Amino acid sequence: MNYTDQSIMYSRIGVYSATGHSEARRLQTEEVNGLRHVLLLRQRYAVLRVDDVNVEDVFTNKSFDESQWEYNNYYGVFLISRVGKTPEWPEFLPKIADFTRDVETARRVVSSPQLRRLALHRLSLLERKFLLHVSMNIANEGGVKEEKEWNNRDFYTAHKVDNNIQTEAGPNARTLLEFFVEKALNHGDDVVFEEKNQPVTLRQLISRYHIDTQTITVDELNHQLNTHADLHTIFLSPFNFMQGRYFAELTKRTLDIYKEDAYSFAEFRLSMLGGSSQEWYELGHWFDRYGLVSPQARCMVRFPRQYRRLRQQGVVKNFGEYLDNIFQPLWEISLHPASDTKLHYFLTHISGFDCYDDESKIDLPSQ
């Protein structure tokens, strides 16, 4: 759309609702007050921190005796204490009853149809204000010719970080296709999994799906990977019969591409389901086994909202077990790093955690 076109007629929008019904105004006022209350609740949880305490100093202190400490799970919250002593609930953490009440309040407010209409109304207003700004100041925003040239130069010399990238989506289409064809032609005898206690080679699997490695295209390869779960797991997952060897080799090729540009970095996402605490150990060993450390990249571990499916399939019995699978290994390695040095090494290269999926849905098991 050409925002400078004088023939464009921008629609008018009222700052306040057009309705004059007293009941509608009362509902709007209640929802706005509820939203303000939720924002105050957010501040209560967003600023949780312990002042004057450096956690790393605790574990690097030579006088620290890990055998004198233990951790326990209370309502999904891990608390550390000396062996044999009952831990006290931290003052900076809300009580479980308060947390449950605050969650219910937030859910009730954000699910309000009236509040959603007000939010859409405000977004529409902001969009039109921006379009008005663009139409009035587009010449000033562009800058003079010399400034544009310097801006282009700065783009290539500025440090750029690609984030929110799934590790399996890191390689470009050409790299993925070349890797697949190379493995199919030169490593067809690799045993990729077992079926009915019989080994299945890569050549047999490709023949089963009638894949022609001489004429396969990028689109066809994507279709095959998305259609056949076993093929996707072999090439794009660290959790498989081959212990993620193909996936690691493909990831290293992607990291080599980043090394060619001194100004490009990446923050890849590695996925875990939370169905078993062993996922942490398997992922840590995979990372260490294939030497995936790179100065150009860091990793984030992401957890899809799959509790509903895991509960229905009987993988986990309750939400508490699901939380234990995610956080218990981290406490164990933090307190006893020598118990699994590979996982401890992997955690030193993790920049954070992420939970993704449709956040408008409450991830609860269906009755």
Side-chain angles (χ1 to χ4, degrees):
M1 179 183 293
N2 182 7
Y3 299 121
T4 61
D5 190 348
Q6 300 295 328
S7 63
I8 296 178
M9 300 296 295
Y10 295 102
S11 58
R12 295 180 179 273
I13 179 172
V15 177
Y16 302 99
S17 175
T19 178
H21 197 278
S22 59
E23 180 65 16
R25 290 199 301 270
R26 184 186 66 80
L27 292 176
Q28 291 178 359
T29 302
E30 290 181 357
E31 298 303 336
V32 170
N33 290 334
L35 179 60
R36 290 173 177 170
H37 178 63
V38 171
L39 292 176
L40 293 177
L41 291 179
R42 183 181 182 277
Q43 294 180 359
R44 179 182 180 185
Y45 291 90
V47 297
L48 291 181
R49 63 179 183 273
V50 183
D51 296 329
D52 302 327
V53 174
N54 190 335
V55 178
E56 294 299 326
D57 292 342
V58 176
F59 294 105
T60 56
N61 191 340
K62 295 182 179 180
S63 62
F64 176 76
D65 186 1
E66 62 185 59
S67 63
Q68 299 297 320
W69 294 86
E70 63 180 0
Y71 61 90
N72 292 281
N73 185 353
Y74 295 89
Y75 300 99
V77 178
F78 285 88
L79 301 178
I80 191 170
S81 63
R82 290 191 176 274
V83 175
K85 292 188 177 182
T86 303
E88 297 182 358
W89 192 267
E91 296 181 358
F92 62 90
L93 283 180
K95 299 295 190 296
I96 295 298
D98 296 337
F99 173 76
T100 304
R101 183 184 64 251
D102 294 341
V103 170
E104 292 299 326
T105 300
R107 286 177 175 172
R108 178 185 58 80
V109 171
V110 299
S111 61
S112 168
Q114 187 71 21
L115 185 60
R116 291 183 180 182
R117 285 194 292 268
L118 288 175
L120 291 175
H121 181 81
R122 174 170 171 76
L123 290 175
S124 180
L125 174 63
L126 292 175
E127 180 183 16
R128 282 162 173 76
K129 289 176 64 178
F130 174 73
L131 295 180
L132 177 62
H133 163 75
V134 171
S135 63
M136 298 296 293
N137 301 283
I138 188 171
N140 297 331
E141 292 286 351
V144 297
K145 181 178 180 181
E146 292 77 7
E147 292 177 346
K148 293 180 180 179
E149 293 177 352
W150 277 105
N151 289 338
N152 292 336
R153 185 178 303 176
D154 290 341
F155 176 80
Y156 293 103
T157 58
H159 290 82
K160 299 172 287 294
V161 180
D162 297 329
N163 57 9
N164 199 23
I165 301 176
Q166 301 179 30
T167 307
E168 58 267 27
N172 55 48
R174 179 179 178 180
T175 301
L176 179 59
L177 180 61
E178 291 177 349
F179 182 81
F180 178 84
V181 173
E182 176 189 339
K183 291 300 179 183
L185 296 178
N186 303 325
H187 301 270
D189 294 329
D190 288 350
V191 178
V192 293
F193 63 88
E194 290 184 349
E195 190 175 57
K196 297 180 180 179
N197 296 325
Q198 296 296 323
V200 177
T201 64
L202 179 61
R203 182 178 291 107
Q204 292 173 332
L205 187 64
I206 291 177
S207 177
R208 177 186 302 179
Y209 296 138
H210 307 288
I211 300 176
D212 187 353
T213 56
Q214 301 295 333
T215 60
I216 188 172
T217 62
V218 171
D219 293 336
E220 183 181 354
L221 177 58
N222 289 333
H223 173 73
Q224 294 289 346
L225 293 175
N226 294 329
T227 303
H228 305 295
D230 48 3
L231 199 62
H232 183 278
T233 302
I234 292 169
F235 282 91
L236 299 176
S237 174
F239 309 112
N240 53 43
F241 179 82
M242 303 180 68
Q243 297 182 326
R245 177 162 64 90
Y246 283 179
F247 186 43
E249 293 176 2
L250 182 60
T251 302
K252 294 186 74 170
R253 293 193 182 188
T254 305
L255 296 176
D256 291 339
I257 296 176
Y258 277 94
K259 290 181 181 179
E260 297 176 358
D261 186 354
Y263 299 100
S264 295
F265 300 85
E267 187 180 58
F268 292 112
R269 260 66 169 172
L270 291 169
S271 297
M272 292 177 54
L273 293 179
S276 170
S277 60
Q278 291 301 314
E279 292 182 32
W280 274 112
Y281 299 96
E282 293 176 5
L283 192 61
H285 287 211
W286 171 80
F287 185 85
D288 177 78
R289 181 184 301 113
Y290 298 106
L292 297 177
V293 176
S294 173
Q296 305 295 118
R298 284 292 184 271
C299 297
M300 284 192 68
V301 177
R302 64 175 196 163
F303 296 90
R305 299 175 185 267
Q306 294 291 321
Y307 170 67
R308 177 193 297 267
R309 184 176 64 84
L310 295 175
R311 173 73 178 274
Q312 290 176 343
Q313 295 177 352
V315 179
V316 295
K317 298 178 181 179
N318 49 58
F319 193 68
E321 181 182 351
Y322 177 72
L323 292 179
D324 285 347
N325 293 338
I326 295 176
F327 295 107
Q328 189 273 337
L330 303 182
W331 278 86
E332 180 66 25
I333 294 301
S334 298
L335 187 57
H336 308 292
S339 61
D340 195 311
T341 56
K342 294 182 179 180
L343 177 55
H344 181 264
Y345 176 72
F346 171 62
L347 293 179
T348 60
H349 295 84
I350 294 296
S351 59
F353 299 90
D354 187 19
C355 185
Y356 73 99
D357 215 331
D358 188 353
E359 298 185 1
S360 64
K361 298 180 180 179
I362 301 177
D363 191 16
L364 296 176
S366 59
Q367 301 297 328

